Amino acid sequence: MQVIFGAERDELDDDAVLAAYPWPEEGPWVRAMMVTTLDGAAAGPDGLSGSISSSVDKTVFDAVRRHADAVLVGAGTIRAEGYGALRAKDADAEARRAQGQAQAPVIAIVSPSLDLPWDSELFTGSTEPPLVLTTRAPDEAALARAREARATVVQSDSDDLPPRFLVDTLVQRGLRRIVCEGGPRLLEAVARAGLVDEADITVSPMFAGHAHVTRTEGLDHVVGFDLVHVLTAEGFLMCRYVRP
Ligand SMILES: NC(=O)c1ccc[n+]([C@@H]2O[C@H](COP(=O)([O-])OP(=O)(O)OC[C@H]3O[C@@H](n4cnc5c(N)ncnc54)[C@H](OP(=O)(O)O)[C@@H]3O)[C@@H](O)[C@H]2O)c1
């Protein structure tokens, strides 16, 4: 992997990639991590992001997560992508403990419906019990099922899940380094609430043939971010943007 803007080294290994994605020493910080095609699609024809990603993009994806406290994801992504258990490598777990973090990041799933794969490895095998963020009054049977699973269910006090509630819930639990891995619906809400501090965006050198649907709602004004670096390998661009 090569740096074409923003860092001193030309070739990057896993630890150098990790060093290219530092977290601030203190305070909440929300990173948006996404891969997009040239025509703006978030998934390939199979409905999965893997088909528009690559091993180098995966290297960045892993690095961005390695010292996160929480991985914030929408239920649609969990259902589509079949997330596995969230664990850390031994060396990372040790480094995390040394700096006062939990051994591995906590997965935090946004789901009003509570239609989630409760028997999957994500719930049974993740180091930290998953957090599930839901509304005041989800379906009773779904709530009962969620409570049986190895998960901590947190309910908002309304029928919505405002992005500010999502981020505050994590921060109140000491989870201040947050990677929001999407999907598009969740990321749109978090961006619209002005809560994105950093965007780690991979531009995948391909067309998917389906793009964003034009929307009428959005921010009143576009928000500019500063480009910190661009990593490139195999035609992929991995960009790190930070709020000025
Ligand atoms: N390119 C990438 O980097 C990337 C990253 C992630 C996902 N993806 C792809 O994106 C697709 C899924 O997209 P998506 O937009 O449906 O994903 P999503 O945001 O992960 O899931 C949408 C679901 O999450 C819950 N949710 C999300 N935001 C919410 C909010 N603000 N308030 C209340 N509930 C909220 C709802 O859950 P309930 O249905 O449980 O009520 C909603 O139906 C998949 O094809 C996936 O592969 C791509």
Side-chain angles (χ1 to χ4, degrees), residues 36-53:
T36 172
T37 63
L38 296 174
D39 49 351
D46 58 358
L48 300 175
S49 57
S51 56
I52 59 166
S53 178

Side-chain angles (χ1 to χ4, degrees), residues 33-37 41-44 46-50 52 57 61 73-81 83 109-116 133-135 159-163 166 181-190:
M33 174 83 211
M34 289 290 285
V35 53
T36 172
T37 63
D46 58 358
L48 300 175
S49 57
I52 59 166
D57 177 43
F61 180 86
V73 191
T77 297
I78 297 296
R79 290 190 290 263
E81 301 274 345
Y83 269 41
I109 306 165
V110 182
S111 184
S113 76
L114 294 177
D115 173 15
L116 291 169
L133 302 151
T134 194
T135 52
D159 296 329
D160 301 322
L161 287 171
L166 303 174
E181 294 182 0
R185 182 173 157 197
L186 176 61
L187 190 55
E188 180 180 295
V190 174

